[in-house]
Amino acid sequence: MFEQALSHWEGDDFFQYFQQAFAQLSLDELPLFTCCKYSGVIDPDSISLRLLSSRSDAQTIHLKIGVFFCEILSGCACSDDPSQAIILENNYCELTAEINRTDAKTTFASCVS
């Protein structure tokens, strides 16, 4: 999945390819839930990334990324308007990503201790 990102590692478009691969992951493959403060229900359409730092060695590309996302808070539809029953709460999480330079296998970990 991260093969294209790996092949563009030292190019200006690396993070663009990384974001495309990241968007294909399911929420179960990411440790974002460790950063949830409210419901733990994440709106997958709200996820956006920022590259905070990057470095590499012979075996691995090491990234630190900031992930912005919204948690879904269910509320009361007292006005009979179901659109008011969903409230989104902004949230942020920092993750590390390690991409194996041989096979592009990528692992993620939360920076929250």
Side-chain angles (χ1 to χ4, degrees):
M1 186 175 306
F2 287 88
E3 291 83 3
Q4 276 196 310
L6 177 61
S7 69
H8 289 86
W9 164 234
E10 293 184 353
D12 292 337
D13 53 357
F14 164 76
F15 196 63
Q16 173 186 346
Y17 286 101
F18 180 85
Q19 287 176 304
Q20 290 173 0
F22 189 94
Q24 295 176 29
L25 297 172
S26 73
L27 289 174
D28 293 334
E29 297 175 271
L30 301 168
L32 290 177
F33 297 105
T34 61
C35 298
C36 288
K37 299 176 189 166
Y38 305 101
S39 67
V41 179
I42 297 171
D43 176 10
D45 296 329
S46 69
I47 295 174
S48 67
L49 306 179
R50 299 294 178 267
L51 180 62
L52 303 177
S53 66
S54 63
R55 64 179 179 85
S56 67
D57 54 40
Q59 293 83 29
T60 308
I61 296 171
H62 306 271
L63 306 174
K64 186 172 184 180
I65 56 174
V67 183
F68 294 90
F69 62 95
C70 291
E71 282 184 76
I72 300 171
L73 307 177
S74 55
C76 175
C78 299
S79 67
D80 293 330
D81 181 0
S83 68
Q84 294 181 1
I86 297 176
I87 301 167
L88 298 176
E89 188 67 36
N90 293 328
N91 212 330
Y92 175 77
C93 189
E94 290 184 359
L95 301 178
T96 59
E98 294 189 346
I99 305 172
N100 182 300
R101 293 184 82 162
T102 303
D103 61 9
K105 182 179 181 222
T106 304
T107 57
F108 295 92
S110 173
C111 294
V112 175
S113 52

